[in-house]
PDB file of all heavy atoms in Angstrom:
ATOM      1  N   MET V   1      20.135 181.329  66.957  1.00  0.00           N
ATOM      2  CA  MET V   1      20.238 181.990  68.246  1.00  0.00           C
ATOM      3  C   MET V   1      19.036 182.896  68.414  1.00  0.00           C
ATOM      4  O   MET V   1      18.700 183.667  67.547  1.00  0.00           O
ATOM      5  CB  MET V   1      21.532 182.806  68.331  1.00  0.00           C
ATOM      6  CG  MET V   1      21.702 183.531  69.655  1.00  0.00           C
ATOM      7  SD  MET V   1      23.258 184.443  69.708  1.00  0.00           S
ATOM      8  CE  MET V   1      24.406 183.064  69.718  1.00  0.00           C
ATOM      9  N   HIS V   2      18.386 182.762  69.542  1.00  0.00           N
ATOM     10  CA  HIS V   2      17.204 183.557  69.809  1.00  0.00           C
ATOM     11  C   HIS V   2      17.549 184.683  70.770  1.00  0.00           C
ATOM     12  O   HIS V   2      18.284 184.490  71.735  1.00  0.00           O
ATOM     13  CB  HIS V   2      16.089 182.697  70.413  1.00  0.00           C
ATOM     14  CG  HIS V   2      15.679 181.565  69.525  1.00  0.00           C
ATOM     15  ND1 HIS V   2      14.818 181.738  68.454  1.00  0.00           N
ATOM     16  CD2 HIS V   2      16.024 180.241  69.526  1.00  0.00           C
ATOM     17  CE1 HIS V   2      14.633 180.571  67.847  1.00  0.00           C
ATOM     18  NE2 HIS V   2      15.367 179.645  68.476  1.00  0.00           N
ATOM     19  N   ALA V   3      17.005 185.821  70.501  1.00  0.00           N
ATOM     20  CA  ALA V   3      17.214 186.960  71.399  1.00  0.00           C
ATOM     21  C   ALA V   3      16.403 186.763  72.658  1.00  0.00           C
ATOM     22  O   ALA V   3      15.249 186.325  72.602  1.00  0.00           O
ATOM     23  CB  ALA V   3      16.800 188.264  70.709  1.00  0.00           C
ATOM     24  N   VAL V   4      16.984 187.051  73.754  1.00  0.00           N
ATOM     25  CA  VAL V   4      16.303 186.949  75.038  1.00  0.00           C
ATOM     26  C   VAL V   4      15.992 188.355  75.524  1.00  0.00           C
ATOM     27  O   VAL V   4      16.890 189.181  75.697  1.00  0.00           O
ATOM     28  CB  VAL V   4      17.169 186.226  76.088  1.00  0.00           C
ATOM     29  CG1 VAL V   4      16.437 186.148  77.416  1.00  0.00           C
ATOM     30  CG2 VAL V   4      17.508 184.829  75.595  1.00  0.00           C
ATOM     31  N   ILE V   5      14.732 188.626  75.697  1.00  0.00           N
ATOM     32  CA  ILE V   5      14.302 189.948  76.137  1.00  0.00           C
ATOM     33  C   ILE V   5      14.119 189.914  77.647  1.00  0.00           C
ATOM     34  O   ILE V   5      13.322 189.133  78.177  1.00  0.00           O
ATOM     35  CB  ILE V   5      12.982 190.372  75.452  1.00  0.00           C
ATOM     36  CG1 ILE V   5      13.181 190.387  73.926  1.00  0.00           C
ATOM     37  CG2 ILE V   5      12.519 191.725  75.963  1.00  0.00           C
ATOM     38  CD1 ILE V   5      11.913 190.706  73.164  1.00  0.00           C
ATOM     39  N   ILE V   6      14.866 190.733  78.341  1.00  0.00           N
ATOM     40  CA  ILE V   6      14.790 190.801  79.799  1.00  0.00           C
ATOM     41  C   ILE V   6      13.948 192.012  80.173  1.00  0.00           C
ATOM     42  O   ILE V   6      14.213 193.124  79.719  1.00  0.00           O
ATOM     43  CB  ILE V   6      16.188 190.938  80.437  1.00  0.00           C
ATOM     44  CG1 ILE V   6      17.048 189.753  79.988  1.00  0.00           C
ATOM     45  CG2 ILE V   6      16.104 191.023  81.952  1.00  0.00           C
ATOM     46  CD1 ILE V   6      18.470 189.846  80.496  1.00  0.00           C
ATOM     47  N   PRO V   7      12.908 191.804  80.949  1.00  0.00           N
ATOM     48  CA  PRO V   7      12.073 192.939  81.351  1.00  0.00           C
ATOM     49  C   PRO V   7      12.913 194.001  82.056  1.00  0.00           C
ATOM     50  O   PRO V   7      13.879 193.713  82.749  1.00  0.00           O
ATOM     51  CB  PRO V   7      11.065 192.304  82.319  1.00  0.00           C
ATOM     52  CG  PRO V   7      11.061 190.842  81.954  1.00  0.00           C
ATOM     53  CD  PRO V   7      12.433 190.541  81.507  1.00  0.00           C
ATOM     54  N   ALA V   8      12.479 195.259  81.875  1.00  0.00           N
ATOM     55  CA  ALA V   8      13.222 196.367  82.483  1.00  0.00           C
ATOM     56  C   ALA V   8      13.326 196.231  83.989  1.00  0.00           C
ATOM     57  O   ALA V   8      14.321 196.596  84.595  1.00  0.00           O
ATOM     58  CB  ALA V   8      12.558 197.707  82.122  1.00  0.00           C
ATOM     59  N   ALA V   9      12.283 195.682  84.605  1.00  0.00           N
ATOM     60  CA  ALA V   9      12.288 195.562  86.072  1.00  0.00           C
ATOM     61  C   ALA V   9      13.386 194.634  86.556  1.00  0.00           C
ATOM     62  O   ALA V   9      13.867 194.759  87.674  1.00  0.00           O
ATOM     63  CB  ALA V   9      10.929 195.061  86.566  1.00  0.00           C
ATOM     64  N   ASP V  10      13.777 193.667  85.686  1.00  0.00           N
ATOM     65  CA  ASP V  10      14.791 192.717  86.097  1.00  0.00           C
ATOM     66  C   ASP V  10      16.200 193.288  85.974  1.00  0.00           C
ATOM     67  O   ASP V  10      17.161 192.643  86.359  1.00  0.00           O
ATOM     68  CB  ASP V  10      14.695 191.438  85.257  1.00  0.00           C
ATOM     69  CG  ASP V  10      13.436 190.668  85.579  1.00  0.00           C
ATOM     70  OD1 ASP V  10      12.881 190.870  86.677  1.00  0.00           O
ATOM     71  OD2 ASP V  10      13.017 189.890  84.713  1.00  0.00           O
ATOM     72  N   ASN V  11      16.304 194.465  85.356  1.00  0.00           N
ATOM     73  CA  ASN V  11      17.618 195.055  85.174  1.00  0.00           C
ATOM     74  C   ASN V  11      18.050 195.901  86.366  1.00  0.00           C
ATOM     75  O   ASN V  11      19.173 196.377  86.401  1.00  0.00           O
ATOM     76  CB  ASN V  11      17.641 195.932  83.917  1.00  0.00           C
ATOM     77  CG  ASN V  11      17.767 195.097  82.658  1.00  0.00           C
ATOM     78  OD1 ASN V  11      18.375 194.045  82.690  1.00  0.00           O
ATOM     79  ND2 ASN V  11      17.158 195.572  81.583  1.00  0.00           N
ATOM     80  N   ARG V  12      17.143 196.092  87.313  1.00  0.00           N
ATOM     81  CA  ARG V  12      17.527 196.890  88.469  1.00  0.00           C
ATOM     82  C   ARG V  12      18.590 196.149  89.275  1.00  0.00           C
ATOM     83  O   ARG V  12      18.453 194.979  89.571  1.00  0.00           O
ATOM     84  CB  ARG V  12      16.305 197.166  89.349  1.00  0.00           C
ATOM     85  CG  ARG V  12      15.318 198.121  88.710  1.00  0.00           C
ATOM     86  CD  ARG V  12      14.087 198.287  89.580  1.00  0.00           C
ATOM     87  NE  ARG V  12      13.395 197.017  89.758  1.00  0.00           N
ATOM     88  CZ  ARG V  12      12.280 196.885  90.499  1.00  0.00           C
ATOM     89  NH1 ARG V  12      11.781 197.930  91.117  1.00  0.00           N
ATOM     90  NH2 ARG V  12      11.700 195.709  90.607  1.00  0.00           N
ATOM     91  N   GLY V  13      19.615 196.876  89.652  1.00  0.00           N
ATOM     92  CA  GLY V  13      20.697 196.250  90.412  1.00  0.00           C
ATOM     93  C   GLY V  13      21.703 195.536  89.535  1.00  0.00           C
ATOM     94  O   GLY V  13      22.623 194.924  90.045  1.00  0.00           O
ATOM     95  N   MET V  14      21.514 195.598  88.175  1.00  0.00           N
ATOM     96  CA  MET V  14      22.462 194.952  87.282  1.00  0.00           C
ATOM     97  C   MET V  14      23.467 195.986  86.790  1.00  0.00           C
ATOM     98  O   MET V  14      23.117 197.117  86.483  1.00  0.00           O
ATOM     99  CB  MET V  14      21.732 194.337  86.086  1.00  0.00           C
ATOM    100  CG  MET V  14      20.753 193.253  86.467  1.00  0.00           C
ATOM    101  SD  MET V  14      21.564 191.733  86.985  1.00  0.00           S
ATOM    102  CE  MET V  14      22.184 191.147  85.430  1.00  0.00           C
ATOM    103  N   LEU V  15      24.717 195.596  86.702  1.00  0.00           N
ATOM    104  CA  LEU V  15      25.762 196.474  86.202  1.00  0.00           C
ATOM    105  C   LEU V  15      26.663 195.650  85.298  1.00  0.00           C
ATOM    106  O   LEU V  15      27.322 194.724  85.746  1.00  0.00           O
ATOM    107  CB  LEU V  15      26.569 197.067  87.362  1.00  0.00           C
ATOM    108  CG  LEU V  15      27.687 198.044  86.970  1.00  0.00           C
ATOM    109  CD1 LEU V  15      27.080 199.277  86.306  1.00  0.00           C
ATOM    110  CD2 LEU V  15      28.503 198.429  88.200  1.00  0.00           C
ATOM    111  N   PHE V  16      26.623 195.981  83.969  1.00  0.00           N
ATOM    112  CA  PHE V  16      27.417 195.255  82.971  1.00  0.00           C
ATOM    113  C   PHE V  16      27.137 193.756  83.037  1.00  0.00           C
ATOM    114  O   PHE V  16      28.040 192.933  82.917  1.00  0.00           O
ATOM    115  CB  PHE V  16      28.910 195.515  83.180  1.00  0.00           C
ATOM    116  CG  PHE V  16      29.286 196.959  83.077  1.00  0.00           C
ATOM    117  CD1 PHE V  16      29.749 197.643  84.186  1.00  0.00           C
ATOM    118  CD2 PHE V  16      29.156 197.636  81.872  1.00  0.00           C
ATOM    119  CE1 PHE V  16      30.091 198.978  84.104  1.00  0.00           C
ATOM    120  CE2 PHE V  16      29.497 198.980  81.783  1.00  0.00           C
ATOM    121  CZ  PHE V  16      29.958 199.647  82.889  1.00  0.00           C
ATOM    122  N   GLY V  17      25.877 193.403  83.270  1.00  0.00           N
ATOM    123  CA  GLY V  17      25.502 192.004  83.268  1.00  0.00           C
ATOM    124  C   GLY V  17      25.703 191.291  84.591  1.00  0.00           C
ATOM    125  O   GLY V  17      25.381 190.113  84.698  1.00  0.00           O
ATOM    126  N   PHE V  18      26.219 191.973  85.604  1.00  0.00           N
ATOM    127  CA  PHE V  18      26.441 191.356  86.900  1.00  0.00           C
ATOM    128  C   PHE V  18      25.443 191.908  87.913  1.00  0.00           C
ATOM    129  O   PHE V  18      25.129 193.105  87.913  1.00  0.00           O
ATOM    130  CB  PHE V  18      27.876 191.621  87.389  1.00  0.00           C
ATOM    131  CG  PHE V  18      28.933 190.982  86.528  1.00  0.00           C
ATOM    132  CD1 PHE V  18      29.580 191.710  85.547  1.00  0.00           C
ATOM    133  CD2 PHE V  18      29.259 189.639  86.693  1.00  0.00           C
ATOM    134  CE1 PHE V  18      30.547 191.128  84.750  1.00  0.00           C
ATOM    135  CE2 PHE V  18      30.226 189.050  85.897  1.00  0.00           C
ATOM    136  CZ  PHE V  18      30.865 189.788  84.920  1.00  0.00           C
ATOM    137  N   GLN V  19      24.967 191.035  88.763  1.00  0.00           N
ATOM    138  CA  GLN V  19      24.027 191.436  89.800  1.00  0.00           C
ATOM    139  C   GLN V  19      24.752 192.262  90.857  1.00  0.00           C
ATOM    140  O   GLN V  19      25.784 191.861  91.378  1.00  0.00           O
ATOM    141  CB  GLN V  19      23.404 190.196  90.467  1.00  0.00           C
ATOM    142  CG  GLN V  19      22.345 190.521  91.516  1.00  0.00           C
ATOM    143  CD  GLN V  19      21.091 191.104  90.887  1.00  0.00           C
ATOM    144  OE1 GLN V  19      20.714 190.724  89.778  1.00  0.00           O
ATOM    145  NE2 GLN V  19      20.458 192.033  91.584  1.00  0.00           N
ATOM    146  N   ARG V  20      24.207 193.437  91.167  1.00  0.00           N
ATOM    147  CA  ARG V  20      24.820 194.285  92.188  1.00  0.00           C
ATOM    148  C   ARG V  20      24.683 193.611  93.542  1.00  0.00           C
ATOM    149  O   ARG V  20      23.606 193.133  93.900  1.00  0.00           O
ATOM    150  CB  ARG V  20      24.132 195.644  92.210  1.00  0.00           C
ATOM    151  CG  ARG V  20      24.704 196.625  93.223  1.00  0.00           C
ATOM    152  CD  ARG V  20      23.967 197.945  93.162  1.00  0.00           C
ATOM    153  NE  ARG V  20      24.085 198.533  91.829  1.00  0.00           N
ATOM    154  CZ  ARG V  20      23.367 199.598  91.430  1.00  0.00           C
ATOM    155  NH1 ARG V  20      22.494 200.143  92.249  1.00  0.00           N
ATOM    156  NH2 ARG V  20      23.528 200.082  90.223  1.00  0.00           N
TER     157      ARG V  20
END
Side-chain angles (χ1 to χ4, degrees):
M1 180 179 292
H2 301 280
V4 179
I5 301 176
I6 303 176
D10 291 338
N11 281 329
R12 290 176 299 179
M14 298 288 288
L15 182 64
F16 300 114
F18 295 97
Q19 183 69 34
R20 181 180 300 170

